[in-house]
Amino acid sequence: MTNGTWNLVLLSLLTGISIVAQDLPMIVKESYTGDPPKITVAPGQIVTLFVRGLDVPPAVSKSDPLARELSGVYVLLEDGNNNWSQKLPLMRIGTGGCSQVTCRDNNIVAQIPYDMPAGTLQRPPYPRLTVYKNGKPGLTEEVVYASAVPRILSSCVAALVDDWPPSRTGGCRPMVTRQDGSLVSNENPFVPGETITIYAWGLGATDPLVEAGAAVKQPASTLARYRVRVCYNCGGLPEGGFYSAVGPWFDPEYVGLAVGSAGLYQINVKTPPPPPDSVVRAPGPIGAAVFYFSSSVSLEFSIFGAFRAN
């Protein structure tokens, strides 16, 4: 290696400048996952990959099922241990995405197939992701397989907006709706006793099994059983806290894929009445409810929702 080449490599490590050629795209990270890249994938999950060195115009798949290639780009998921590979259905390719390294990355929103092999003790899953441009592979990244990677959606996720980073005017609101389809907010709280719908990704395999990238034509419940409990006006953060007032676990009315979309799950919860003391703790007519979700295939996750206290 010449001194000039070594200096360029050292500079790239210190400053985060990419020396990857444009026909050798590299996955920088997957959104929402901490240190790059360590991507965790689950059946049916929607992933947003930030990719450096891709340099392609924005593109959106408008077909049903979703296209497997956009702007000459496709993403290959392989599991060599189980002799399986598949191109991922692509929702979109965006530009302007920011990672920990650069603000000139492309973002690729894709779906993990539902029939990805879970593996066996003798042949555990060994998945790898590679981004291809014009038929040429980029750098391959090993990923981690899980049965489910639950993520409550907000109005700011890359797949739901026209550009990235999105405008945060009015804030990023969780995708939780009342029975009329309107978003739950401080200005539009739910009334205890009504059914609310919480939208998420990554809740895992379903029955019946559906085609990845295809709009769901009929309800398909998750194989895993998800349970929920609610704590009214507990205060503090939903994760990591201990609340003596948290309610008992119960089953949602429905946990499964949302009809008419690809990869979108919905959780329908008939909200229980709040205990009398929790209403007293409300600072005004609007209170805060924390919904906790648990299953045997994922870590517990939670979300806030505004409710009408009186």
Side-chain angles (χ1 to χ4, degrees):
M1 180 180 292
T2 66
N3 287 337
T5 303
W6 171 251
N7 289 337
L8 179 58
V9 172
L10 180 61
L11 179 63
S12 71
L13 294 175
L14 293 175
T15 64
I17 298 173
S18 173
I19 61 171
V20 181
Q22 289 186 353
D23 62 350
L24 192 63
M26 180 174 70
I27 298 172
V28 178
K29 64 172 287 188
E30 197 269 325
S31 61
Y32 320 111
T33 58
D35 294 335
K38 279 305 174 186
I39 303 161
T40 302
V41 298
Q45 178 192 352
I46 304 296
V47 295
T48 302
L49 306 173
F50 292 115
V51 181
R52 194 182 342 155
L54 197 57
D55 192 26
V56 295
V60 177
S61 177
K62 298 181 179 180
S63 62
D64 181 17
L66 296 171
R68 304 275 173 147
E69 184 172 328
L70 291 172
S71 298
V73 172
Y74 66 88
V75 181
L76 187 67
L77 178 62
E78 302 172 275
D79 180 1
N81 275 12
N82 294 282
N83 194 29
W84 179 93
S85 66
Q86 195 173 136
K87 291 182 180 179
L88 300 187
L90 303 180
M91 286 187 171
R92 54 165 286 171
I93 297 177
T95 58
C98 291
S99 72
Q100 295 173 342
V101 178
T102 176
C103 281
R104 291 185 299 231
D105 302 330
N106 282 101
N107 57 75
I108 302 176
V109 182
Q111 186 180 19
I112 303 299
Y114 292 96
D115 60 351
M116 178 183 171
T120 65
L121 291 177
Q122 294 74 29
R123 291 187 175 183
Y126 187 66
R128 299 181 300 168
L129 277 175
T130 307
V131 178
Y132 284 73
K133 176 184 176 182
N134 298 327
K136 298 180 180 179
L139 300 181
T140 296
E141 294 289 352
E142 297 179 4
V143 298
V144 178
Y145 177 85
S147 297
V149 187
R151 289 178 184 153
I152 302 291
L153 294 188
S154 79
S155 56
C156 291
V157 297
L160 301 179
V161 295
D162 293 332
D163 206 354
W164 187 269
S167 169
R168 286 174 171 78
T169 303
C172 297
R173 295 187 174 182
M175 299 295 290
V176 182
T177 62
R178 301 186 63 188
Q179 289 172 308
D180 61 3
S182 60
L183 284 177
V184 171
S185 66
N186 288 337
E187 299 77 27
N188 186 40
F190 73 87
V191 178
E194 76 172 301
T195 297
I196 63 172
T197 298
I198 299 165
Y199 291 95
W201 282 336
L203 299 188
T206 63
D207 183 21
L209 188 69
V210 299
E211 178 188 357
V216 178
K217 304 300 190 295
Q218 61 182 359
S221 299
T222 56
L223 291 177
R225 180 189 183 189
Y226 287 88
R227 308 204 75 197
V228 60
R229 57 182 178 173
V230 186
C231 192
Y232 289 99
N233 290 325
C234 289
L237 296 174
E239 294 87 1
F242 176 77
Y243 304 119
S244 60
V246 68
W249 292 105
F250 62 95
D251 292 321
E253 293 181 335
Y254 173 74
V255 184
L257 292 170
V259 175
S261 62
L264 181 65
Y265 296 80
Q266 66 182 71
I267 308 172
N268 297 344
V269 177
K270 183 173 177 58
T271 57
D277 64 323
S278 68
V279 177
V280 172
R281 292 197 306 269
I286 308 302
V290 185
F291 293 82
Y292 298 87
F293 296 91
S294 180
S295 78
S296 61
V297 299
S298 73
L299 297 175
E300 187 173 307
F301 57 101
S302 56
I303 190 171
F304 277 111
F307 76 99
R308 187 169 299 283
N310 49 58

